[in-house]
Amino acid sequence: MIDIQNVNKWFDDFHVLKNISMSVAKGEVIVVCGPSGSGKSTLIKCVNGLEPFQKGTITVNDVSVGAKDTNLPELRSHIGMVFQNFELFPHMTAMQNICLSQLKVLGRSQSEAQDRTNTLLDRVGLEGLGFKYSSELSGGQQQRVAIARALAMDPFAMLFDEPTSALDPEMINEVLEVMQELARDDGMTMMVVTHEMGFARRVADRVIFMDEGEIVEDANTDDFFGTPRSDRAQLFLSKILQH
Amino acid sequence: MNYNWNWAILIEVPYFDWLVSGLGWTLLVSALGWIIAFSLGSLIGVIRTLPSKPLRLFGMAYVELFRNVPLLVQMFIWFYVLPELVGEDLGRWMKRDMPFPEATSAILCLGTYTASRVAEQVRAGIESIPRGQSMAGYAMGLTTKQVYRYLLIPVGYRIIVPPMTSEFLTIFKNSSLALTIGVAEVLYQARQIENYTFQGFEAFTAATLIYLVITMIVVFITDRVEAKARIPGYGVQGKT
């Protein structure tokens, strides 16, 4: 589904991604973790072309992301993305946020889009809150609206860029639960950048550990938490699992 | 000081009519100037935020050119210099056959000058929106045009309503410079009343009050616009 081959990216002189190769099969859940500055957020933004990369290839559903003649809006409309800071549009209600791309990209009718939106709001546990503006919702609720907004496009894969990092601790679980259901019940293909190791252990099929722009480990979840081979991954886990 | 106050002069024929006609020209020149300023300024402001470098450079050149030359100088250039530069036929048309050459020049001058200031506000408004917002738009499959149409422009313009109000006020005040090229607006008429009656204090007091009333009405209206455009919980309190 997602295939990344020898991707390199530089910000001016800074080599952010070094020879990254990995893949996500259909229905798989991949967690990408690593210390901050390791390039994991940049990598996930390369997958739908939000960040350009200089070398290598990324294909999603056999479409090359980096190719000049690729219709990026069309490709992106099939890949849902959830951001660290939610990025709900402040001048729209939750309902309008979720309807926007259905109306403008998919060309659904107003009533179709609203029906779909109501179903999705129910599903993420926010029934009846469609009339609220993002400033009237808690962080956890905003992130669930953002997930519903991505799902409204009926994506074939979902990208999560640190979806719980900006949340207060008591709201993290409500978001993780929605993501877990999505993985278990829908068999959604997911690539998740996160520090939530509990979530990784419960839900992920594979864990990828990045440091300084490289993939240090790419292992099955059980292997990763059992016997990580690299010192760097062991150090990272020991720091993060203490609390 | 020996001065014969005569406030009644202001409502005498023909002086009252002069002031009314002056008010008409002030409103006309300012309003038409604002239409040019708002549309051209929006265009230039948006251009300055686009990914294309040549377009951004063009926008920057426009703003720097029109913002940095004094408005009075621009007024003279539009009225006296431009007709000499555009070739004989067009120049003659501008001087002789163009309808209301003074007012037309003043409107173009005010419009293009204020456009450079509006452009800066629009650019600042759009650039103040966090980059994640347009990323979220692109990520859901919107095109650049749609990201501007549905996200950046609606939010950006709401942010800049207060500074735009001040530009809108300024264009009324700046329109007084049109008297230097012979547009018979409020200040021009006040001066003319002084020339005819020597009642300068009354005439200029009347002009001052007229400007004051105009600007107060404008503030009243734009306050309503501001309240209506406000996004709940967004802007002043900072973003969360």
Side-chain angles (χ1 to χ4, degrees):
Chain A
M1 172 80 58
I2 301 172
D3 193 38
I4 302 176
Q5 288 300 329
N6 295 316
V7 164
N8 281 274
K9 178 177 171 64
W10 288 263
F11 286 123
D12 295 325
D13 286 344
F14 180 55
H15 201 170
V16 232
L17 297 176
K18 299 170 187 160
N19 275 320
I20 302 285
S21 295
M22 59 166 283
S23 60
V24 186
K26 189 167 166 31
E28 230 181 352
V29 178
I30 304 290
V31 160
V32 182
C33 61
S36 60
S38 59
K40 51 199 192 311
S41 279
T42 307
L43 175 65
I44 204 171
K45 288 194 181 99
C46 286
V47 172
N48 62 355
L50 287 180
E51 288 280 1
F53 50 92
Q54 284 83 19
K55 267 172 71 181
T57 53
I58 297 179
T59 56
V60 180
N61 239 10
D62 298 325
V63 179
S64 168
V65 177
K68 275 217 153 54
D69 56 347
T70 297
N71 183 347
L72 272 179
E74 151 74 14
L75 179 63
R76 287 172 182 147
S77 71
H78 301 295
I79 309 171
M81 185 154 193
V82 174
F83 296 83
Q84 181 173 359
N85 293 314
F86 331 133
E87 306 299 354
L88 294 187
F89 307 130
H91 59 307
M92 298 179 181
T93 60
M95 169 68 81
Q96 290 168 326
N97 262 282
I98 302 174
C99 282
L100 179 68
S101 55
Q102 300 185 60
L103 299 171
K104 304 302 173 192
V105 179
L106 298 183
R108 285 184 186 149
S109 71
Q110 187 78 38
S111 63
E112 242 181 314
Q114 282 180 358
D115 287 349
R116 181 90 175 96
T117 302
N118 283 324
T119 314
L120 285 165
L121 282 172
D122 285 359
R123 162 150 196 202
V124 298
L126 298 172
E127 51 276 17
L129 293 184
F131 66 95
K132 295 262 193 188
Y133 285 88
S134 60
S135 57
E136 302 166 326
L137 298 168
S138 73
Q141 290 173 326
Q142 288 185 55
Q143 194 60 301
R144 285 184 282 154
V145 171
I147 294 174
R149 182 173 73 176
L151 291 176
M153 300 297 285
D154 299 321
F156 49 60
M158 288 280 286
L159 308 174
F160 292 85
D161 183 11
E162 305 207 28
T164 57
S165 297
L167 290 174
D168 292 336
E170 77 271 19
M171 293 172 180
I172 290 177
N173 274 334
E174 62 191 58
V175 171
L176 290 181
E177 270 162 30
V178 170
M179 291 167 60
Q180 190 166 337
E181 274 170 29
L182 196 59
R184 291 222 172 124
D185 305 348
D186 297 48
M188 178 64 79
T189 308
M190 290 163 58
M191 182 167 165
V192 186
V193 172
T194 185
H195 293 296
E196 294 297 329
M197 289 300 117
F199 172 82
R201 197 184 286 224
R202 284 195 309 277
V203 184
D205 296 301
R206 262 179 27 241
V207 178
I208 288 173
F209 175 73
M210 287 180 72
D211 193 14
E212 296 181 348
E214 293 172 312
I215 291 183
V216 180
E217 272 205 57
D218 181 343
N220 289 328
T221 306
D222 292 342
D223 294 343
F224 183 80
F225 288 104
T227 52
R229 281 143 287 184
S230 70
D231 294 346
R232 279 190 280 184
Q234 275 175 1
L235 185 67
F236 176 76
L237 279 179
S238 70
K239 278 183 185 162
I240 220 167
L241 291 178
Q242 270 166 6
H243 39 254
Chain B
M1 187 173 80
N2 279 325
Y3 187 80
N4 288 319
W5 291 94
N6 181 10
W7 291 100
I9 197 87
L10 296 175
I11 49 169
E12 271 173 26
V13 179
Y15 309 120
F16 181 76
D17 297 338
W18 289 3
L19 284 174
V20 170
S21 132
L23 172 64
W25 280 109
T26 291
L27 293 177
L28 184 79
V29 168
S30 308
L32 293 181
W34 181 253
I35 291 172
I36 295 176
F38 188 77
S39 27
L40 185 62
S42 297
L43 188 71
I44 304 273
V46 167
I47 277 179
R48 291 201 69 184
T49 66
L50 289 176
S52 152
K53 200 161 184 195
L55 279 175
R56 282 210 313 266
L57 276 176
F58 170 78
M60 194 178 83
Y62 180 93
V63 168
E64 296 309 333
L65 179 67
F66 282 89
R67 193 173 57 161
N68 294 334
V69 176
L71 182 55
L72 186 57
V73 174
Q74 294 193 34
M75 205 58 96
F76 290 157
I77 291 176
W78 277 98
F79 190 62
Y80 296 114
V81 182
L82 200 63
E84 310 297 333
L85 296 180
V86 290
E88 211 170 311
D89 290 344
L90 187 57
R92 193 181 306 117
W93 181 81
M94 283 176 77
K95 283 186 271 190
R96 270 209 334 230
D97 302 326
M98 184 165 77
F100 306 106
E102 300 88 0
T104 308
S105 301
I107 289 165
L108 289 171
C109 174
L110 271 178
T112 49
Y113 167 79
T114 311
S116 70
R117 305 182 53 96
V118 169
E120 282 302 90
Q121 309 291 0
V122 170
R123 178 176 72 95
I126 291 176
E127 284 180 351
S128 72
I129 301 169
R131 187 156 164 262
Q133 287 277 302
S134 42
M135 276 201 174
Y138 286 120
M140 59 174 60
L142 299 181
T143 60
T144 303
K145 202 171 131 194
Q146 288 174 318
V147 166
Y148 274 88
R149 164 78 181 75
Y150 301 112
L151 309 181
L152 299 181
I153 289 178
V155 176
Y157 273 76
R158 282 171 164 92
I159 294 171
I160 58 168
V161 172
M164 283 288 242
T165 301
S166 137
E167 293 304 335
F168 189 49
L169 282 179
T170 306
I171 205 170
F172 284 99
K173 294 180 281 177
N174 280 345
S175 72
S176 61
L177 282 180
L179 88 93
T180 59
I181 58 172
V183 178
E185 45 71 70
V186 170
L187 205 59
Y188 179 100
Q189 299 289 12
R191 215 169 55 157
Q192 188 158 324
I193 294 173
E194 187 199 19
N195 288 341
Y196 275 69
T197 65
F198 302 106
Q199 305 295 138
F201 283 104
E202 292 86 340
F204 286 112
T205 305
T208 306
L209 286 176
I210 289 174
Y211 282 115
L212 205 61
V213 170
I214 293 177
T215 48
M216 274 160 54
I217 292 173
V218 169
V219 170
F220 179 81
I221 295 171
T222 48
D223 275 356
R224 298 287 166 295
V225 172
E226 209 173 314
K228 220 172 148 57
R230 193 169 293 143
I231 303 172
Y234 191 77
V236 191
Q237 301 94 321
K239 41 193 188 301
T240 44

